[in-house]
Amino acid sequence: MDSASITTGQRIKAIIGGSIGNLVEWYDWYAYAAFAIYFSHSFFPDSDLNAQLMNTAGIFAVGFLMRPIGGWMFGSIADKIGRKKAMTLSVLLMSFGSLLIALTPTYQSIGILAPLLLLLARLLQGLSVGGEYGVSATYLSEMATQDRRGFYSSFQYVTLIGGQLIALGIQLILQKLLLTEAQLEEWGWRIPFVIGAMLSIIALYLRANLHETEAFENTKEVSEKKKGTVKELMKHPKALLTVVGLTLGGTLAFYTYTTYMQKFLVNTVHLTKEESTLVSFVSLFIFACLQPVFGGLSDKIGRRPLLLGFGILGTLCTVPLLTALSTTTSIWGAFFLIMAALIIVSGYTSINAVVKAELFPSEIRALGVGLPYAITVAVFGGTAEYLALWFKKIGSEEYFYWYITGCILFSLVVYTGMKDTKKTSTLDKD
């Protein structure tokens, strides 16, 4: 099916289908982060809260180590046999990981097997999410019309944040309406993982009915030896290094203000678990709504101005924002500080998917977007929580703020030296 025969309705349906599958995957991924404050004691020996959270964050980080393998494996599948098949397979793997977490007995019941099974589940989920990003970013960018790529592809982060919102929303419902804190810590934390496995059925249905992209269909004439191979990818070293530099500061900032922030609010700001969940939920909802606004803006003024805005403001404001946040005593003060940070980060999150897709030709696009991104996220995004908690443990939490600043500054140098991909997009050649 070529682009001329895809109606606007079908195109929107494809974008929604791809995005909702992405939402389910990221819900499963974030349910772990959102409920870690309740289940950490179930998988590790009795100890102080910070130590248990460090162990749980350590497994969260190890899950990220599988992401480069997932980026390579699913990127190759997407470039060789289709975006649609790769996305369907990745959501199946994620649901299995969620079900395994839901059913694993506690440390008190089976000893060392409990954290080992938790680790296995996270490795499977890491494999899945590692593949999901590159494939869905490629799919959304390829399905979009030329003048709306920034807008359409921004929905990857709408659904990525949406997955976290659903996890936090379920947490709020369980906290406020259904369960006591004791019940949540004893068995209630398993509920979101069961829900995640069930939601995967919806995603599977939607993805099974997606259109394949014209860009992939056009690669049928390309030699199989050139599709989705690392050898072919290595012929684009500048694009590869650009993805790494582009991602480094952005992914660290994103994981700090989303995944880690709930724990920061409990552990450092000393809000209650319920207050931290509420602040996270409202700020993330607004953050999700901002993505299409910034994405649409990039279609008007280009991608580079948004990246430069994130790089400059992120470099200048990270230390002041986090320092102020660490000393605030007001729930509203915490909300506005986090919101300011998320507005800055939107300059990266809203368009990073389309920028990466615009760097590579279609026969290696999913691999090119997914693999270097996954490696960078594994090293910097996946270790954000663990490093933050470690710096706190040694009494030097402010060092983490400077670490984020340094990484954003590195990305700013990359943004300064790169061309605006809206003007040089390889998608125009498909």
Side-chain angles (χ1 to χ4, degrees):
M1 180 177 287
D2 62 31
S3 59
S5 63
I6 300 177
T7 65
T8 300
Q10 288 173 324
R11 196 182 300 277
I12 292 171
K13 182 181 176 183
I15 297 293
I16 292 172
S19 296
I20 289 180
N22 190 47
L23 181 145
V24 175
E25 286 238 10
W26 286 96
Y27 162 81
D28 286 336
W29 183 251
Y30 280 122
Y32 181 97
F35 282 85
I37 53 177
Y38 290 109
F39 70 69
S40 58
H41 70 94
S42 295
F43 291 99
F44 301 99
D46 290 336
S47 184
D48 66 275
L49 175 62
N50 196 66
Q52 287 177 340
L53 286 175
M54 279 188 70
N55 285 327
T56 312
I59 285 186
F60 187 82
V62 170
F64 275 78
L65 297 180
M66 293 298 286
R67 290 177 64 155
I69 300 173
W72 163 72
M73 186 171 82
F74 285 99
S76 293
I77 292 170
D79 288 329
K80 288 178 185 295
I81 65 172
R83 318 320 192 196
K84 173 181 164 181
K85 290 178 181 177
M87 290 195 298
T88 304
L89 182 59
S90 72
V91 84
L92 262 176
L93 201 59
M94 177 60 77
S95 64
F96 181 76
S98 276
L99 201 57
L100 186 57
I101 294 175
L103 299 178
T104 297
T106 64
Y107 183 89
Q108 290 73 24
S109 300
I110 60 170
I112 192 67
L113 277 177
L116 288 177
L117 286 171
L118 179 66
L119 176 62
L120 174 62
R122 291 306 286 175
L123 292 176
L124 292 174
Q125 291 187 324
L127 195 68
S128 172
V129 174
E132 173 65 25
Y133 176 89
V135 182
S136 63
T138 299
Y139 183 80
L140 291 172
S141 299
E142 290 179 348
M143 286 302 295
T145 53
Q146 183 178 2
D147 60 339
R148 303 282 278 169
R149 285 182 190 138
F151 175 77
Y152 275 123
S153 63
S154 72
F155 281 90
Q156 183 181 37
Y157 264 77
V158 172
T159 53
L160 192 153
I161 300 158
Q164 190 169 2
L165 279 173
I166 293 173
L168 288 172
I170 289 171
Q171 189 173 41
L172 280 170
I173 291 169
L174 293 175
Q175 286 173 340
K176 303 277 186 189
L177 302 175
L178 300 180
L179 300 176
T180 64
E181 182 153 337
Q183 288 173 322
L184 269 171
E185 290 184 351
E186 187 177 350
W187 56 268
W189 60 264
R190 297 182 187 272
I191 294 171
F193 296 105
V194 174
I195 291 172
M198 293 166 61
L199 283 174
S200 298
I201 298 171
I202 299 171
L204 279 171
Y205 170 77
L206 288 166
R207 289 193 159 174
N209 289 279
L210 289 178
H211 288 300
E212 187 53 86
T213 68
E214 181 195 359
F216 173 75
E217 297 292 354
N218 289 344
T219 65
K220 288 184 176 176
E221 304 301 318
V222 177
S223 167
E224 289 298 318
K225 292 180 180 179
K226 289 188 174 184
K227 288 186 182 180
T229 65
V230 173
K231 182 180 179 181
E232 192 66 23
L233 184 62
M234 295 310 292
K235 295 178 181 178
H236 302 267
K238 185 177 179 182
L240 277 170
L241 292 173
T242 300
V243 171
V244 172
L246 179 81
T247 304
L248 196 151
T251 191
L252 179 58
F254 174 75
Y255 278 98
T256 297
Y257 293 118
T258 58
T259 307
Y260 173 62
M261 192 45 56
Q262 194 186 10
K263 298 176 186 65
F264 183 82
L265 292 174
V266 172
N267 225 10
T268 297
V269 185
H270 303 300
L271 298 183
T272 66
K273 290 176 182 176
E274 290 79 9
E275 286 172 338
S276 71
T277 304
L278 183 61
V279 169
S280 296
F281 184 88
V282 176
S283 59
L284 284 171
F285 178 78
I286 298 172
F287 183 40
C289 293
L290 288 173
Q291 302 310 297
V293 177
F294 277 78
L297 181 63
S298 81
D299 289 325
K300 301 289 185 184
I301 67 171
R303 323 293 186 214
R304 193 165 172 267
L306 270 68
L307 292 172
L308 288 171
F310 160 68
I312 293 167
L313 291 173
T315 300
L316 295 176
C317 300
T318 297
V319 172
L321 280 172
L322 286 173
T323 302
L325 185 59
S326 69
T327 57
T328 189
T329 55
S330 160
I331 188 171
W332 281 106
F335 167 73
F336 284 117
L337 287 166
I338 292 170
M339 207 59 251
L342 290 174
I343 290 170
I344 293 170
V345 175
S346 292
Y348 163 79
T349 53
S350 59
I351 59 167
N352 80 95
V354 70
V355 170
K356 291 160 191 169
E358 288 175 326
L359 290 169
F360 296 95
S362 56
E363 63 269 17
I364 55 159
R365 184 170 293 136
L367 183 63
V369 173
L371 181 57
Y373 168 83
I375 292 171
T376 311
V377 172
V379 175
F380 294 95
T383 57
E385 278 195 30
Y386 193 85
L387 275 175
L389 290 166
W390 181 77
F391 279 123
K392 180 174 178 60
K393 185 179 180 182
I394 66 171
S396 301
E397 193 166 25
E398 68 278 4
Y399 289 1
F400 182 65
Y401 313 160
W402 286 104
Y403 168 65
I404 300 167
T405 300
C407 289
I408 295 175
L409 177 60
F410 181 88
S411 286
L412 175 58
V413 173
V414 175
Y415 305 152
T416 304
M418 68 185 285
K419 294 178 180 177
D420 196 320
T421 57
K422 180 177 182 291
K423 300 173 183 175
T424 60
S425 178
T426 58
L427 290 160
D428 294 334
K429 302 172 183 176
D430 292 344

